[in-house]
Amino acid sequence: MATSKRDDDARGARVRADDDDPSSAASASARASCAPLSDVVAFHERLRGVFGWQLLAFVFSADFFVKGAAKHMISTTSLPYAQRYLKFSAQAFQRFEVLVSFPWMLKPFMGMVTDTTPVFGYRKRYYLATFAVTGLVAIIVLATKTFSSDDATWYTVFVLATNMLLAFGDSLAGARVFEAMSEVQRIGGDLMTYSWTVATVGSIFGTLLAYIGLSRGDYKLIFWLVTPFVAQFAFTTAYGLLPEERVGSDFNAHALAKKYWNVFVVTITITLASVGVVSMQLVDAFETDLALCVSTCFGILLIMTGVVYAHLERDEACLLIYVAVDRVLGVNVRQAKTYWYTEGAKCVPDGPHFSYVFYSVTTFLFSLGAQMIGIWLFQKYLSRSKIRSVFLACALTKVIAKLGDIWIILRWNIDMGIDDRSAYVMGEGIIEGIAYVLTYMPANAVLSKIVDKEVSCTMYTLLAGVVNVASGVALTLGSASMTFVGIHTDLVHGHCNFDQLIPLLIVCGIILPLFSIPLIYVLIPDWCMHDDRSGSIEESVKAEEKK
């Protein structure tokens, strides 16, 4: 590990030189803005020269194999298991999604634990190794056990364990990238581009592998194919590939908690909010009583955003509040759409009847290609534009994507001579893929400018926690909304009703999300994406210390 230490020291010296020498910083910024993204070698060498080879290698290990390949391979099995084995209704499938997303909601809590409680002197290494081993065991069980409609509880437990690996691995590895971005803000966006590109290419690779199991109807095979990817991650994390400084002997968790008490109050609030959202899935009344569901979800959102606003700096708070409200306004009824697209003629007589291979592999490959386009667009045009313009582009792109669903369900594409597969790829695949990238990259880039290194993991995961809790709220509201309008999908007896799907999509996918656009100009700061806000951070910290 001596070599690792020398690499860290050398990288730190380069970072300090970059920050201290304006001409050097300007040169680095110019190189970052002028070098074409297509010149992969030059792009990689520039990143390696600033951030070090170990960080880039670990990002590849985590983002390509786990966040990319493993995550998307596992995701392709959810729909077949829900429909063919567990016989979930669309509403039950959404409630299941919220339950198994619990680890993703707990990201801030995990970030707080790792920031304040190092294991053997390291904040991330041994946590990552533990979750990797736990996830590996769960994946092996899923690869060997045959599930039926009576095994929904056990299936949920094992999927939860795999999501602990995916969620906490993503948050802890991503927090290190986030920290590096905050250290060198002038080209921090390039490191994020590298991370997202590697993850997207990994997703493409994993989706192609998933085709083998889906085409054969052998979903266990997909889990077996995932195991080597998770096993290598367990090895690289335990070995210490992630460049991470050992905490000093003077580390004082109590002093850290006292200094950043406000951040930890927000973290605990988000954790309690996540427990509340997950608990709602265990009570049928929240699916059948829309008024009860709406009032409870509104209460959770109000408490969470109120605590965020009261305890964080204004720019941090406003960004998180906007992200939360924007996500909740997009009331999620995706499983109603999914069942309409994939169920057979008995359930949807006039439906497209997409196969799992087309729905989960072909379409997703187009979506991933679109994500690459979105990453390129962000790097080329948006990474140095006005932040508000980026969020506006994201909001409009998501609405346009939802129009594609309505176009298909009304069968207008058939009237225009466009087959269902081509129409779906254009909407859900390409436009939605670009929107996905534009949803997360700008928020991460903005938050990295106003983060404190001592609690970088907690701050990074606050964004993820808010997004995931808000997503859980949107799914919960979506389930109740489906029941309220009469969406019915009984896969045991084959009784389905999608009569009110179009009005539901218009309200939830178009009208409500448009209300987030005015909030952009109220809550999002009027900065440029390439602004360096580190000076303002230092000034605010000094002012706080004087108090």
Side-chain angles (χ1 to χ4, degrees), residues 39 124 218 264 381 398 455 535:
D39 190 352
K124 299 178 178 68
D218 186 357
F264 294 143
Y381 299 106
K398 288 190 293 185
V455 287

Side-chain angles (χ1 to χ4, degrees), residues 37 68 115 146 151 196 214 228 524:
L37 191 60
D115 277 336
T146 300
D151 298 320
W196 275 73
L214 291 174
I524 302 300

Side-chain angles (χ1 to χ4, degrees), residues 59-294:
V59 167
F60 191 86
S61 171
D63 287 359
F64 182 90
F65 289 108
V66 179
K67 183 179 179 180
K71 177 183 176 183
H72 290 284
M73 289 174 74
I74 293 171
S75 70
T76 62
T77 66
S78 297
L79 184 59
Y81 271 83
Q83 291 183 331
R84 298 296 169 254
Y85 300 144
L86 303 173
K87 300 297 182 181
F88 284 158
S89 66
Q91 290 91 327
F93 193 11
Q94 290 211 166
R95 293 168 68 181
F96 164 81
E97 283 189 299
V98 178
L99 284 172
V100 298
S101 68
F102 190 39
W104 297 89
M105 299 182 197
L106 289 180
K107 276 186 170 187
F109 180 76
M110 195 64 227
M112 181 182 71
V113 170
T114 57
D115 277 336
T116 58
T117 315
V119 176
F120 301 120
Y122 292 96
R123 287 171 163 165
K124 299 178 178 68
R125 178 186 303 181
Y126 296 107
Y127 286 106
L128 283 169
T130 300
F131 294 131
V133 172
T134 302
L136 181 60
V137 171
I139 288 169
I140 292 174
V141 173
L142 288 168
T144 55
K145 181 175 173 57
T146 300
F147 292 91
S148 68
S149 57
D150 297 326
D151 298 320
T153 300
W154 282 111
Y155 178 73
T156 302
V157 168
F158 292 122
V159 174
L160 265 172
T162 63
N163 277 342
M164 286 177 62
L165 159 66
L166 297 174
F168 297 150
D170 174 53
S171 62
L172 297 182
R176 183 62 187 91
V177 172
F178 187 69
E179 180 182 316
M181 286 171 57
S182 69
E183 292 171 350
V184 192
Q185 295 188 13
R186 296 175 184 87
I187 61 171
D190 290 354
L191 181 61
M192 182 171 61
T193 298
Y194 170 80
S195 172
W196 275 73
T197 302
V198 166
T200 303
V201 174
S203 299
I204 295 173
F205 178 66
T207 304
L208 290 172
L209 285 180
Y211 168 80
I212 300 173
L214 291 174
S215 62
R216 297 179 179 181
D218 186 357
Y219 311 119
K220 291 182 181 180
L221 177 61
I222 297 174
F223 289 109
W224 282 121
L225 293 174
V226 168
T227 52
F229 301 154
V230 178
Q232 69 80 32
F233 186 62
F235 173 77
T236 57
T237 52
Y239 177 74
L241 182 63
L242 175 66
E244 181 183 13
E245 294 182 6
R246 191 183 182 93
V247 297
S249 57
D250 59 343
F251 177 78
N252 188 324
H254 178 73
L256 186 67
K258 183 177 180 181
K259 181 178 180 182
Y260 297 101
W261 66 271
N262 57 325
V263 175
F264 294 143
V265 167
V266 174
T267 298
I268 295 299
T269 301
I270 293 175
T271 301
L272 294 175
S274 67
V275 172
V277 173
V278 169
S279 299
M280 291 175 68
Q281 315 313 310
L282 305 176
V283 181
D284 291 338
F286 288 110
E287 179 188 317
T288 57
D289 189 336
L290 181 61
L292 175 64
C293 181
V294 170

